[in-house]
Amino acid sequence: MSNAEKDTQITPNYDDVFKNFGSGDIVKGKVIDVRGDDVFVDIGYKSEGIIKAREFMDDDGNLNVKVGDEIEAVFFNRTDPDGFEILSKAAADRIKGWNKVKQAYKEGKTIKGKINSVVNGGFTVKIDGFLAFLPGSQVELKPIKNYPSYVGKEFEFKVVNINESKRNAVLSRKVLLEEEERQRQQELWEKIKEGAILKGRVKNITDYGVFVDLGGVDGLVHITDMSYSRVSHPSELVNLDDEVEVKIIKIEENEGKKKIYLGMKQLSEDPWKNIEEKFSVGNMVKGKIVNIVDYGLFVEIDKGIEGLVHKSEISYDKYPPKFEETYKIGDEVDVKITNIDKENRRMSLSIKQTKPYPWDNIEENYKPGDIVEGVVTGIKDFGIFVKLQEGVEGLIHENDLSWDKEDKPQINLKDTIKAKVLNIDKEKERIALGLKQLTKDPWEDIDKKYSVGDEIEARVVSVKPFGAFVKIEKGVESLVPKSEFNNIQPQIDETVKIRIIRIDKDKKRLISSFINE
C-alpha cells in the first residue's frame, strides 16, 4: 500500500463526518450550555450553534431552557464573530406554526392558539411561533367591547383564509361557536316537546309573565301559569337569572317561527282536582284576601283555591260602609262556602253568613223602653236611620225627634246618638226609636201648671184659616180658634195674651182665646 493510500485512510473526510445543512433548514440539536444571553446547541455540524436566550423566554420573562434539552431551530449558514453558527428557535417555531395553519386550513380542522395582542381591527393569535390575525368580529357570537380582557386566553379557532405568498392567515372563533350553537339548538329542539319538563334561566320579567332561556331557545311563562295562587306580579316568585324548572304546555308555529309556552304551576297537582275531598258547601273556613274589586272580595282559602265574596255577602247592613275601606289585601277573614263550581273553578263565599242573622233573636237583644246607642246612617225628610248593630237599623220619625217642633236637634251622618226603643216589628224587620222620649214629656204635668181661666203670655207660631197656634212653653202649644180672636189679627212671632178655656191632657190639646186689652 502506497503512502498516499495510507494518508487517505488515516485522515477522515469531514464532509462525511459532519452534517450538511442549507440556509433556512430546520435542524435538530441538543442544548450543551446556557451562558449569559446565549444558548449553545450541538447540531452535529462543524461548529456549535448559538441562539439568543430571549427566544426561550415565556410571556412572564422566565427562561425555559436547560442543558440537555432537545430543540429545533432554523440554520442560516452564518457564523457570529466567535465562529458559532447562528440559529433561531423563534424562526423554527414560526415555520412550524405556519405549517400547522396550512394543514388545518387544508383539512378543515380546528387549531389551538393563544391571543397574543390587540391590533387594529382585532387581535394577533400565536400558534407556536406564527402570528395569525383574528378579526374582532370573529371572537364571540355577539360584538365584544373589552378587547384587552381576551389577551392571553387560549381558544380553538377555524382557519378561514390564508395567503401563502404573504404567509398570513385569518382565524375565526365565531364560526365554531355558531356551529356549537346550531348543534345545541338541534339537540335542544329534540327535547322540546309538549309535556317535557326542562330547566332554564329567567331571562326577562314583564308585567304579564317571565321569559325563560332553555339553553338558546326562549319560552314564556304567563303570569297565570306561574302558580295556582293569585300572583300580582311575576317578581313575587322569581328574580332575574334564577334557575327554574318548567313544563312545556304548548308550542305554536307561525310562518316558520315557533313560540313556546311554559308553565310552572303545571309541575304540581291542580288543587281543584280533588276539591270535593277538601271542601263542601256550608264549611266555615279561614282565608286571606288576595284581591279587592268593585263587586266584592277574592279570598284564598287554600293554596291555589280562591272564591268570591260578593259585596252583598259581606255584611247584613242594608247600606254597608265601603268594603274597600274596611278590608285590605292580606287581611285574614272567616268565610262560609255557599257554592262550589268545580268545572268552572269558581267558589262563592260569604262573610256575613259566618254570623247569626241579627233579626232571628232581635227580641232577646232589644225591648221597648230600652235605651240604645247607635250610629246615624241616613237622614231623610221623614226621620233619621240609626244603626244599632250589623244588619239592624232603627228609625227615629221626625215627630219623635223633639217635643218642640221648633227646637229639633242638630244631627249629622255618622254621629253616635242615644235613643229609646218605642216599638219592634220582627216580621217587617223594623224598630221605631225616639229621641225626645229620653226627656220628660212636657204634657205630663200640664194640669198642674195650668188651669182653665189662666191668663198667660204666648208667642204666635202659625196662622191658619181656622185659627192660630201659639206657643206657651217648649213642647206645648195651644189653638186659638178664629172665633176666639176677639178682633185681634195675630202675626207670626208676635207675643200675645191668651186665656185658657179648655185643657185635654190625654189628647195633648189646649184651647185658648186672645185677650183684647
Side-chain angles (χ1 to χ4, degrees):
M1 181 182 295
S2 65
N3 290 332
E5 290 174 335
K6 291 180 180 179
D7 290 341
T8 301
Q9 288 181 338
I10 295 171
T11 304
N13 185 343
Y14 287 99
D15 289 338
D16 294 333
V17 174
F18 297 104
K19 299 175 182 177
N20 289 318
F21 304 115
S23 179
D25 288 350
I26 294 179
V27 299
K28 292 183 178 180
K30 180 179 288 187
V31 176
I32 57 175
D33 195 10
V34 179
R35 187 167 64 246
D37 293 333
D38 299 310
V39 175
F40 297 92
V41 182
D42 177 8
I43 59 172
Y45 197 61
K46 290 178 286 187
S47 57
E48 296 167 349
I50 187 171
I51 304 173
K52 289 299 179 182
R54 64 174 176 270
E55 295 191 22
F56 293 91
M57 287 185 178
D58 60 21
D59 293 338
D60 297 323
N62 301 311
L63 188 63
N64 292 326
V65 66
K66 63 183 183 298
V67 173
D69 286 352
E70 291 186 352
I71 65 163
E72 291 183 336
V74 170
F75 180 82
F76 293 109
N77 199 23
R78 289 186 288 111
T79 61
D80 71 352
D82 295 322
F84 293 104
E85 291 291 335
I86 297 174
L87 306 175
S88 174
K89 175 182 176 296
D93 287 344
R94 281 194 295 274
I95 293 171
K96 287 190 292 182
W98 169 244
N99 289 334
K100 279 185 180 180
V101 168
K102 288 195 298 179
Q103 186 69 18
Y105 181 72
K106 180 180 178 181
E107 297 177 359
K109 293 181 178 179
T110 62
I111 192 167
K112 183 177 285 188
K114 179 187 283 188
I115 295 180
N116 184 65
S117 64
V118 178
V119 295
N120 187 27
F123 303 89
T124 59
V125 177
K126 184 179 283 187
I127 301 167
D128 288 342
F130 178 75
L131 293 178
F133 177 63
L134 171 66
S137 62
Q138 296 298 308
V139 181
E140 300 283 1
L141 291 172
K142 295 180 179 180
I144 62 172
K145 294 181 179 178
N146 188 2
Y147 277 50
S149 66
Y150 285 85
V151 174
K153 292 183 178 180
E154 277 192 341
F155 297 106
E156 289 285 337
F157 298 97
K158 184 78 175 285
V159 183
V160 294
N161 190 34
I162 63 172
N163 186 323
E164 293 204 39
S165 62
K166 294 182 179 180
R167 281 202 173 191
N168 60 36
V170 180
L171 308 179
S172 173
R173 178 170 175 258
K174 182 178 179 180
V175 294
L176 298 180
L177 296 177
E178 287 174 339
E179 180 57 35
E180 289 176 6
E181 182 64 20
R182 280 192 293 272
Q183 185 65 28
R184 277 199 303 269
Q185 291 271 339
Q186 184 178 344
E187 292 174 359
L188 182 59
W189 278 108
E190 290 174 0
K191 297 178 183 177
I192 295 177
K193 310 289 182 187
E194 288 189 9
I197 296 173
L198 302 172
K199 286 186 177 180
R201 197 162 295 279
V202 176
K203 184 178 181 180
N204 191 24
I205 299 174
T206 68
D207 291 339
Y208 56 86
V210 173
F211 286 94
V212 177
D213 181 359
L214 300 174
V217 175
D218 292 348
L220 171 66
V221 183
H222 193 270
I223 188 170
T224 57
D225 288 310
M226 295 186 72
S227 172
Y228 286 111
S229 298
R230 185 179 292 269
V231 181
S232 298
H233 194 273
S235 58
E236 295 175 7
L237 299 182
V238 297
N239 298 306
L240 280 175
D241 210 37
D242 278 358
E243 186 179 72
V244 292
E245 193 171 41
V246 293
K247 184 175 184 178
I248 299 174
I249 56 179
K250 186 169 65 172
I251 300 174
E252 284 185 355
E253 188 167 357
N254 185 20
E255 296 180 357
K257 293 184 179 180
K258 291 183 179 181
K259 287 185 179 180
I260 304 172
Y261 295 93
L262 309 172
M264 293 168 63
K265 73 179 184 183
Q266 286 81 0
L267 296 173
S268 57
E269 187 176 65
D270 183 353
W272 280 86
K273 184 178 180 181
N274 299 311
I275 187 72
E276 66 278 355
E277 296 178 6
K278 292 182 178 181
F279 302 104
S280 301
V281 172
N283 285 166
M284 302 282 193
V285 295
K286 285 188 179 295
K288 182 175 70 174
I289 296 173
V290 292
N291 197 22
I292 299 175
V293 293
D294 293 341
Y295 50 87
L297 310 172
F298 282 95
V299 177
E300 185 177 60
I301 63 171
D302 199 7
K303 188 175 181 180
I305 298 176
E306 62 182 55
L308 171 66
V309 181
H310 190 269
K311 60 182 179 181
S312 62
E313 288 295 325
I314 293 176
S315 172
Y316 284 115
D317 287 343
K318 189 179 294 184
Y319 304 105
K322 292 181 179 179
F323 60 86
E324 306 95 319
E325 298 175 0
T326 306
Y327 297 97
K328 62 181 182 297
I329 291 175
D331 283 354
E332 191 175 86
V333 291
D334 293 316
V335 293
K336 181 179 180 179
I337 300 173
T338 59
N339 185 55
I340 298 175
D341 183 349
K342 182 179 178 180
E343 184 177 349
N344 293 306
R345 303 168 69 89
R346 292 177 180 174
M347 183 180 290
S348 298
L349 307 173
S350 174
I351 291 177
K352 73 181 186 182
Q353 291 186 42
T354 60
K355 297 167 280 189
Y357 185 55
W359 283 91
D360 286 345
N361 55 359
I362 195 70
E363 292 171 334
E364 296 176 13
N365 295 330
Y366 305 100
K367 294 178 175 59
D370 286 352
I371 307 298
V372 294
E373 187 174 83
V375 176
V376 176
T377 56
I379 299 176
K380 307 294 183 182
D381 292 340
F382 54 84
I384 293 174
F385 288 98
V386 180
K387 178 181 174 180
L388 303 180
Q389 67 175 75
E390 184 181 327
V392 177
E393 283 187 340
L395 173 64
I396 304 175
H397 193 273
E398 61 172 343
N399 292 334
D400 290 310
L401 287 170
S402 173
W403 296 111
D404 191 337
K405 295 179 182 178
E406 293 185 312
D407 188 23
K408 291 184 179 179
Q410 183 65 40
I411 296 175
N412 301 308
L413 281 173
K414 297 185 180 180
D415 281 355
T416 298
I417 62 172
K418 289 184 178 181
K420 194 171 194 177
V421 178
L422 305 180
N423 183 52
I424 298 174
D425 187 336
K426 181 178 179 180
E427 186 177 341
K428 293 182 179 180
E429 297 185 356
R430 292 176 181 174
I431 294 180
L433 303 174
L435 191 62
K436 71 181 185 182
Q437 287 79 2
L438 295 175
T439 59
K440 188 174 181 180
D441 185 349
W443 284 87
E444 188 176 328
D445 296 328
I446 197 70
D447 54 349
K448 295 177 182 178
K449 296 171 71 174
Y450 304 102
S451 302
V452 173
D454 285 353
E455 294 182 358
I456 58 175
E457 286 189 344
R459 182 171 60 86
V460 179
V461 292
S462 68
V463 179
K464 308 292 183 181
F466 55 84
F469 287 95
V470 294
K471 184 175 181 179
I472 296 175
E473 64 175 67
K474 188 176 182 180
V476 178
E477 292 182 359
S478 174
L479 172 62
V480 179
K482 200 163 185 179
S483 60
E484 296 294 334
F485 276 15
N486 295 325
N487 296 321
I488 290 178
Q489 299 298 319
Q491 303 295 320
I492 292 176
D493 283 335
E494 179 185 2
T495 300
V496 294
K497 279 191 174 183
I498 61 170
R499 181 183 294 108
I500 298 174
I501 57 177
R502 189 167 69 229
I503 299 174
D504 188 339
K505 179 180 177 180
D506 294 335
K507 293 183 179 181
K508 296 184 178 180
R509 288 181 183 174
L510 272 177
I511 306 297
S512 304
S513 64
F514 287 133
I515 299 175
N516 190 349
E517 294 181 332

